[in-house]
Amino acid sequence: MMKKITLQNRILSGVLAFAILLSLLPVQTLGTEFVTENPVPTSAPAAPRITREGEPIQSISLASYERIEIVAESAASNSLFQWQILHPEKSDVWINIYDATHSYLFVTLALVRNMLKPDQTTQLRCRIVAGEQMQYTEPVFVQYCPELVYSPPS
């Protein structure tokens, strides 16, 4: 016996076929990232670093009236910066430098004078926050050399 095909049966068959087709498509919800079963590995972001005139540095010598610009570089976009100086008596305490929230910092004797150790040294670093990720640059050693004579560029 043959079953009679009605318009209602055709519509129901079409809706079911459409639902099955939709269930086979990947689902992406608003605000989430689509992840495949075999994600493509990405390289880790470069570690942030401190540079002077575009070159990475580990230390600087500072004369009495000198003003040295250093820059924290990060591969992350939309980063927030906070420069810090090492406490002279507590080697694990870093102090935020007031209003030093740019990628650059001008290092002067006025900035570091009260944080110098007896050997006339201190360290600076930058905390960089991008989204939920927080990183620190390697510290830069600052040596105050009162015997250096600063001559401004001409």
Side-chain angles (χ1 to χ4, degrees):
M1 176 187 247
M2 282 197 76
K3 190 174 185 184
K4 187 176 176 183
I5 298 176
T6 63
L7 182 60
Q8 186 178 10
N9 286 345
R10 284 187 179 185
I11 293 174
L12 184 59
S13 296
V15 170
L16 287 174
F18 185 70
I20 291 171
L21 180 65
L22 285 179
S23 70
L24 297 175
L25 295 176
V27 176
Q28 181 177 3
T29 58
L30 185 62
T32 61
E33 182 179 326
F34 177 72
V35 179
T36 62
E37 288 183 26
N38 297 315
V40 177
T42 58
S43 59
R49 64 184 186 164
I50 297 177
T51 62
R52 179 179 181 190
E53 297 175 356
E55 296 296 320
I57 59 170
Q58 296 178 341
S59 63
I60 54 177
S61 297
L62 183 65
S64 292
Y65 298 102
E66 193 169 16
R67 179 179 165 189
I68 299 173
E69 181 182 16
I70 59 176
V71 177
E73 294 182 352
S74 171
S77 60
N78 298 328
S79 298
L80 301 173
F81 299 88
Q82 176 61 65
W83 287 91
Q84 300 177 327
I85 191 165
L86 186 63
H87 191 284
E89 296 169 3
K90 300 175 184 171
S91 63
D92 61 340
V93 176
W94 288 89
I95 301 166
N96 290 342
I97 300 171
Y98 177 76
D99 207 26
T101 56
H102 302 284
S103 62
Y104 60 88
L105 179 70
F106 290 103
V107 182
T108 63
L109 179 58
L111 177 74
V112 301
R113 175 182 286 139
N114 291 331
M115 292 294 166
L116 291 173
K117 295 179 182 177
D119 66 353
Q120 301 295 297
T121 64
T122 190
Q123 295 179 50
L124 297 169
R125 74 176 183 184
C126 188
R127 181 181 66 217
I128 303 171
V129 178
E132 294 182 12
Q133 184 179 19
M134 181 170 42
Q135 293 181 307
Y136 294 91
T137 61
E138 287 295 319
V140 168
F141 292 85
V142 179
Q143 172 75 52
Y144 169 57
C145 303
E147 68 277 0
L148 282 181
V149 177
Y150 172 67
S151 55
S154 48

